[in-house]
Amino acid sequence: MKRTPTGKRLELTERDLVIFELLERYRYLRSTFIHAFVGGASETRFKERLGDLYHEGGYLDRPKEQWQFANARYMPVIYETTEKARRVLSEYGSPDGGHGEAMARGHRQFAHTLMACEVLASIELAAIADPNLRYISSQEILAKAPEATRNSLHPFRIPCHQSGAVTFIVPDGLFGLEYLSDGKKSYRFFALEVDRATMPVTRTNRDQTSYLAKLLAYRQVLAHQTYKAHLGLPNFFVLTATISEQHQQSTMSALQNETGGSTAFLFKVLRQRGALCEMSKPDLSIPRGPWERVGHPPQRIANH
């Protein structure tokens, strides 16, 4: 829980740099997720290496927010990079990972951000394991977006036209999937929203924040095809990963009352442990399993 160096000599390896780059993209990841990405014969030795990068090198941090949960000592440790690691990446000419896969970044919403990171990382790892799938990161999406978006200080703030006014919505995550079928490629692009059941589904005053209001803002993005103009994407789907079956059903019912049904909004309940939606290891069933849709049969986003 506290950095306690012993004076052990530490020389950085290529794999260490890959770890730094990964954590720059994903802000927070558990040791089991990092190991799934970068490999290594012994997971125990790998965790020891992460410990050295934390204790001896000061290249990694263990965010203190994880220790407030009762089962923290029984879960794989969560890591993030330090300024020292970012300087190393800069020296080696690694690309800036400042945007990250999870857009909602910060200690104020630690559990929310961690859940977004774990969902996105699970989807990416599932794509890596499937020869007919390729994960398209937010950075790759941004690199092909219109010039005005690429040059924006806030490129992932998507304009939303409602009632004659323009507001903005920022997804918790943004990614795409490339599908290979019979030698042909096709694509779908997704915004991820994490719903930890802390926001009311609806409110009497529609000007107040609610989860339905967020989804209706996305409906305007879809109706005006803002995703094409702002991000250059050919299609757009909105995923809601939640920890509450009841919250999901309430949200889907409210959305059905507004839209009558939609194929663009997909919902999945994830297992919750304690105060966090915690995954001790990547969950590759997230893209492979069914996502519920309002007024339509479930869909597996890993399937073409």
Side-chain angles (χ1 to χ4, degrees), residues 218-257:
Y218 274 115
R219 186 173 70 161
Q220 293 302 315
V221 170
L222 290 161
H224 291 89
Q225 297 189 341
T226 314
Y227 57 89
K228 290 185 178 180
H230 186 71
L231 294 168
L233 302 179
N235 54 53
F236 197 66
F237 299 85
V238 181
L239 306 179
T240 292
T242 184
I243 60 176
S244 167
E245 180 75 37
Q246 180 180 354
H247 215 248
Q248 173 175 296
Q249 292 304 320
S250 297
T251 302
M252 292 179 67
S253 177
L255 186 62
Q256 185 165 30
N257 290 337

Side-chain angles (χ1 to χ4, degrees), residues 112 160 162 169-172 192-195 199 201 208-221 238 240 265:
H112 187 100
C160 175
Q162 295 190 97
I169 189 165
V170 181
D172 290 334
L192 171 70
E193 290 293 337
V194 165
D195 173 23
M199 181 185 295
V201 174
Q208 292 181 307
T209 302
S210 70
Y211 199 77
L212 177 62
K214 178 184 290 188
L215 295 185
L216 293 180
Y218 274 115
R219 186 173 70 161
Q220 293 302 315
V221 170
V238 181
T240 292
F265 295 93

Side-chain angles (χ1 to χ4, degrees), residues 73-127:
R73 290 181 177 273
Y74 306 99
M75 292 290 288
V77 176
I78 300 164
Y79 286 94
E80 64 178 330
T81 53
T82 64
E83 181 58 36
K84 187 174 182 181
R86 288 189 284 274
R87 287 199 301 269
V88 170
L89 288 177
S90 179
E91 290 170 3
Y92 278 84
S94 295
D96 177 21
H99 293 300
E101 292 305 295
M103 311 301 173
R105 294 156 64 88
H107 291 292
R108 285 191 309 152
Q109 296 180 323
F110 176 74
H112 187 100
T113 305
L114 175 63
M115 182 174 167
C117 291
E118 292 184 334
V119 171
L120 290 164
S122 293
I123 294 172
E124 181 171 2
L125 286 164

